[in-house]
Coordinates of all heavy atoms in Angstrom, one line a residue:
S10 N -7.5 -12.3 -16.5 CA -7.8 -11.6 -15.3 C -7.7 -10.1 -15.6 O -8.5 -9.3 -15.1 CB -7.0 -12.0 -14.2 OG -5.6 -11.7 -14.4
M11 N -6.7 -9.7 -16.4 CA -6.5 -8.2 -16.6 C -7.7 -7.7 -17.5 O -8.1 -6.6 -17.3 CB -5.2 -8.0 -17.3 CG -4.0 -8.0 -16.4 SD -4.1 -6.9 -15.0 CE -4.6 -7.9 -13.6
V12 N -8.1 -8.6 -18.4 CA -9.3 -8.2 -19.3 C -10.5 -8.0 -18.4 O -11.3 -7.0 -18.5 CB -9.5 -9.2 -20.4 CG1 -10.9 -9.0 -21.0 CG2 -8.4 -9.1 -21.4
L13 N -10.7 -8.9 -17.5 CA -11.9 -8.8 -16.6 C -11.8 -7.6 -15.6 O -12.8 -6.9 -15.4 CB -12.1 -10.1 -15.8 CG -12.4 -11.3 -16.6 CD1 -12.4 -12.6 -15.8 CD2 -13.7 -11.2 -17.3
F14 N -10.6 -7.4 -15.1 CA -10.4 -6.2 -14.2 C -10.6 -4.9 -15.0 O -11.1 -3.9 -14.4 CB -9.1 -6.3 -13.5 CG -9.0 -7.3 -12.4 CD1 -7.9 -8.1 -12.3 CD2 -10.1 -7.5 -11.5 CE1 -7.8 -9.1 -11.3 CE2 -10.0 -8.5 -10.5 CZ -8.9 -9.3 -10.4
T15 N -10.1 -4.9 -16.2 CA -10.2 -3.7 -17.0 C -11.7 -3.4 -17.3 O -12.2 -2.3 -17.3 CB -9.4 -3.8 -18.3 OG1 -8.0 -4.0 -18.0 CG2 -9.5 -2.6 -19.2
Y16 N -12.4 -4.5 -17.7 CA -13.9 -4.4 -17.9 C -14.6 -3.9 -16.7 O -15.4 -3.0 -16.8 CB -14.4 -5.8 -18.3 CG -15.9 -5.8 -18.4 CD1 -16.6 -5.2 -19.5 CD2 -16.7 -6.3 -17.4 CE1 -18.0 -5.2 -19.6 CE2 -18.1 -6.2 -17.5 CZ -18.7 -5.7 -18.6 OH -20.1 -5.7 -18.7
K17 N -14.2 -4.3 -15.5 CA -14.8 -3.9 -14.2 C -14.5 -2.4 -14.0 O -15.3 -1.6 -13.5 CB -14.4 -4.7 -13.1 CG -15.1 -4.4 -11.8 CD -16.6 -4.6 -11.9 CE -17.3 -4.2 -10.6 NZ -18.7 -4.2 -10.8
G18 N -13.2 -2.0 -14.4 CA -12.9 -0.6 -14.2 C -13.7 0.3 -15.1 O -14.2 1.4 -14.7
F19 N -14.0 -0.1 -16.3 CA -14.9 0.6 -17.2 C -16.3 0.7 -16.7 O -17.0 1.7 -16.8 CB -14.9 0.1 -18.6 CG -13.8 0.7 -19.5 CD1 -12.7 -0.1 -19.9 CD2 -13.8 2.0 -19.9 CE1 -11.7 0.4 -20.7 CE2 -12.8 2.5 -20.7 CZ -11.7 1.7 -21.1
D20 N -16.7 -0.4 -16.1 CA -18.1 -0.5 -15.5 C -18.2 0.5 -14.3 O -19.1 1.3 -14.2 CB -18.3 -1.9 -15.0 CG -19.8 -2.1 -14.5 OD1 -20.7 -1.6 -15.2 OD2 -19.9 -2.7 -13.5
L21 N -17.2 0.6 -13.5 CA -17.1 1.5 -12.3 C -17.1 3.0 -12.9 O -17.8 3.8 -12.4 CB -15.9 1.2 -11.4 CG -15.9 -0.1 -10.6 CD1 -14.6 -0.3 -10.0 CD2 -17.1 0.0 -9.6
A22 N -16.2 3.2 -13.8 CA -16.1 4.6 -14.4 C -17.4 5.0 -15.1 O -17.8 6.1 -14.9 CB -14.9 4.6 -15.4
Q23 N -18.1 4.1 -15.7 CA -19.3 4.4 -16.4 C -20.4 4.7 -15.4 O -21.3 5.6 -15.6 CB -19.8 3.3 -17.3 CG -21.1 3.5 -18.0 CD -21.2 4.8 -18.8 OE1 -20.2 5.2 -19.4 NE2 -22.3 5.4 -18.8
G24 N -20.4 4.0 -14.3 CA -21.3 4.3 -13.2 C -21.2 5.7 -12.6 O -22.1 6.4 -12.4
L25 N -19.9 6.1 -12.4 CA -19.7 7.4 -12.0 C -20.0 8.5 -13.0 O -20.6 9.5 -12.7 CB -18.2 7.6 -11.6 CG -17.7 7.0 -10.3 CD1 -16.2 7.0 -10.1 CD2 -18.4 7.7 -9.1
R26 N -19.7 8.1 -14.3 CA -20.1 9.1 -15.4 C -21.6 9.3 -15.5 O -22.1 10.4 -15.7 CB -19.5 8.5 -16.7 CG -19.8 9.3 -17.9 CD -18.7 10.5 -18.0 NE -19.3 11.7 -17.7 CZ -18.7 12.8 -17.3 NH1 -17.4 12.7 -17.1 NH2 -19.3 13.9 -16.9
A27 N -22.3 8.2 -15.3 CA -23.8 8.3 -15.4 C -24.3 9.2 -14.3 O -25.2 10.0 -14.5 CB -24.4 6.9 -15.3

Side-chain angles (χ1 to χ4, degrees):
S10 64
M11 286 301 105
V12 167
L13 294 175
F14 287 138
T15 302
Y16 174 78
K17 186 60 179 171
F19 274 109
D20 187 43
L21 292 170
Q23 179 56 33
L25 285 172
R26 181 82 254 156

